[in-house]
Amino acid sequence: MTEETVAFDIEDGIAWVRFNRPEKRNCMNPALNRRMMEVLDQLEYRDDVGVLVLSGEGNAWSAGMDLKEYFRETEAKGLGAVRKAQGEAYGWWRRLRWYRKPTIAMVNGWCFGGGYGPLFACDLAFAADEAQFALSEINWGILPGGGATKVVVDLLSMRDAMYHALTGELIDGRKAAAWKLVNESLPLEKLKARVTEVANILLKKNPVALKATKDAIRRVGEMTYDNAEDYLVRAQEAANSYDNDGRKEGIRQFIDEKSYKPGLGAYDK
Ligand code: ACO
């Protein structure tokens, strides 16, 4: 029987996806990476999924890459196998970065090294105060690859990124929030309720606008102001062609019906 490396449930518009190797602290082996891509693929276009939450079974979010199966055993098979395994891991992280639905990392426990790839791929991240994060690569003698260095440079100050990567020291959820690695940190027992609350806020928004907005936030960071302005005009026009009625309805409910105020909440979809 193959190990079920990824678990998921769909409830009230939210897909709760979980790394499911708790006995291995949810470290990512090639089987998990392949399965995660299949699960993401299955969920992306379902009408009953509006938001995807990624968490971990047991006391880990993810202990990073599987040092035995992803590194040692794959390296023993040669460079081709290494590149294939990298492609499988990076592939689902990339898929998640550009996912059609908004995504939330719910970091319930350990989060190491390679885990920073999917952490960054999620649009929002909420951590338990008790969660522990580290770029532990330096502790076993490699640099933070697989995008992890890029993640901390993009999210943290240069000094914090440097300290984090050079020392491999653990930080808890509170510090991860203070460093902006995650949006917020709160006690573990309150984590799921808060994530559900945020997911429900997103579920009320226009889904075409959510996808256009999340992509814009990721893309404009690398653009000049003028390029961003141009991109955003075009992105909105492209969104209009998918969703002709949504924004017109939003304007109608505000201007004609006076049933809501866009400054205070979302229109009724
Ligand atoms: N790769 C392979 N196996 C792992 C990994 C991993 N990343 N993390 C945990 N495991 C395995 C352990 O070998 C152990 O297996 P076993 O039961 O067959 O002996 C099992 O998961 C449980 O792990 P323990 O170490 O016994 O659990 P504990 O709760 O005491 O410690 C901790 C948890 C701190 C997460 C520890 O497992 C650990 O340090 N893991 C490695 C974290 C890490 O540095 N990951 C690599 C980051 S760098 C990168 O991803 C590129």
Side-chain angles (χ1 to χ4, degrees):
M1 218 181 90
T2 51
E3 184 192 19
E4 191 48 89
T5 51
V6 177
F8 70 89
D9 303 294
I10 298 166
E11 210 180 319
D12 301 328
I14 307 172
W16 298 92
V17 179
R18 298 178 297 281
F19 294 107
N20 189 29
R21 301 181 72 213
E23 72 296 342
K24 297 287 181 188
R25 304 303 176 260
N26 297 326
C27 65
M28 291 173 267
N29 64 353
L32 182 145
N33 290 327
R34 285 192 288 270
R35 181 67 188 136
M36 193 63 92
M37 183 64 114
E38 288 171 2
V39 168
L40 294 180
D41 195 42
Q42 261 182 47
L43 297 175
E44 188 159 20
Y45 296 98
R46 281 179 66 143
D47 291 337
D48 58 348
V49 174
V51 174
L52 183 145
V53 176
L54 181 59
S55 69
E57 282 290 345
N59 69 352
W61 194 69
S62 173
M65 308 319 293
D66 187 318
L67 269 55
K68 178 169 169 283
E69 295 186 39
Y70 178 83
F71 282 106
R72 191 169 67 190
E73 292 175 5
T74 305
E75 281 164 13
K77 293 180 194 156
L79 186 59
V82 170
R83 290 285 179 266
K84 179 171 182 288
Q86 287 168 336
E88 289 164 351
Y90 304 169
W92 76 261
W93 305 345
R94 189 178 309 116
R95 180 78 179 266
L96 198 56
R97 283 202 300 283
W98 302 105
Y99 211 59
R100 297 211 72 77
K101 314 286 166 73
T103 54
I104 305 176
M106 183 168 87
V107 186
N108 51 299
W110 302 111
C111 178
F112 287 100
Y116 284 39
L119 177 68
F120 179 71
C122 289
D123 302 319
L124 299 171
F126 293 80
D129 293 343
E130 297 89 336
Q132 297 279 336
F133 299 76
L135 284 184
S136 52
E137 285 88 340
I138 198 72
N139 292 339
W140 60 282
I142 69 164
L143 65 77
T149 296
K150 175 69 175 156
V151 171
V152 292
V153 167
D154 276 5
L155 298 182
L156 276 43
S157 75
M158 181 273 208
R159 293 292 180 213
D160 290 339
M162 193 68 89
Y163 187 90
H164 200 50
L166 289 180
T167 66
E169 275 177 19
L170 288 164
I171 59 169
D172 66 10
R174 283 195 199 90
K175 191 154 199 173
W179 279 6
K180 312 291 185 204
L181 187 58
V182 298
N183 291 90
E184 283 175 33
S185 157
L186 55 166
L188 181 60
E189 79 263 17
K190 298 193 171 146
L191 183 62
K192 188 166 182 188
R194 175 67 180 135
V195 168
T196 305
E197 183 179 75
V198 174
N200 283 327
I201 292 172
L202 300 175
L203 286 172
K204 293 202 176 69
K205 311 293 186 194
N206 178 316
V208 175
L210 284 172
K211 168 66 172 149
T213 302
K214 57 180 269 182
D215 288 0
I217 293 281
R218 286 189 189 270
R219 293 216 188 268
V220 299
E222 291 176 350
M223 295 180 194
T224 62
Y225 190 95
D226 284 334
N227 285 346
E229 199 178 67
D230 193 44
Y231 165 82
L232 292 168
V233 166
R234 286 156 210 284
Q236 180 55 50
E237 285 169 2
N240 291 348
S241 73
Y242 283 100
D243 179 48
N244 286 316
D245 299 333
R247 98 200 149 98
K248 288 182 189 156
E249 179 61 15
I251 294 174
R252 193 190 68 76
Q253 288 179 21
F254 176 49
I255 299 295
D256 304 330
E257 201 173 87
K258 298 193 187 305
S259 55
Y260 86 116
K261 294 179 193 293
L264 304 180
Y267 74 95
D268 186 359
K269 283 194 289 159

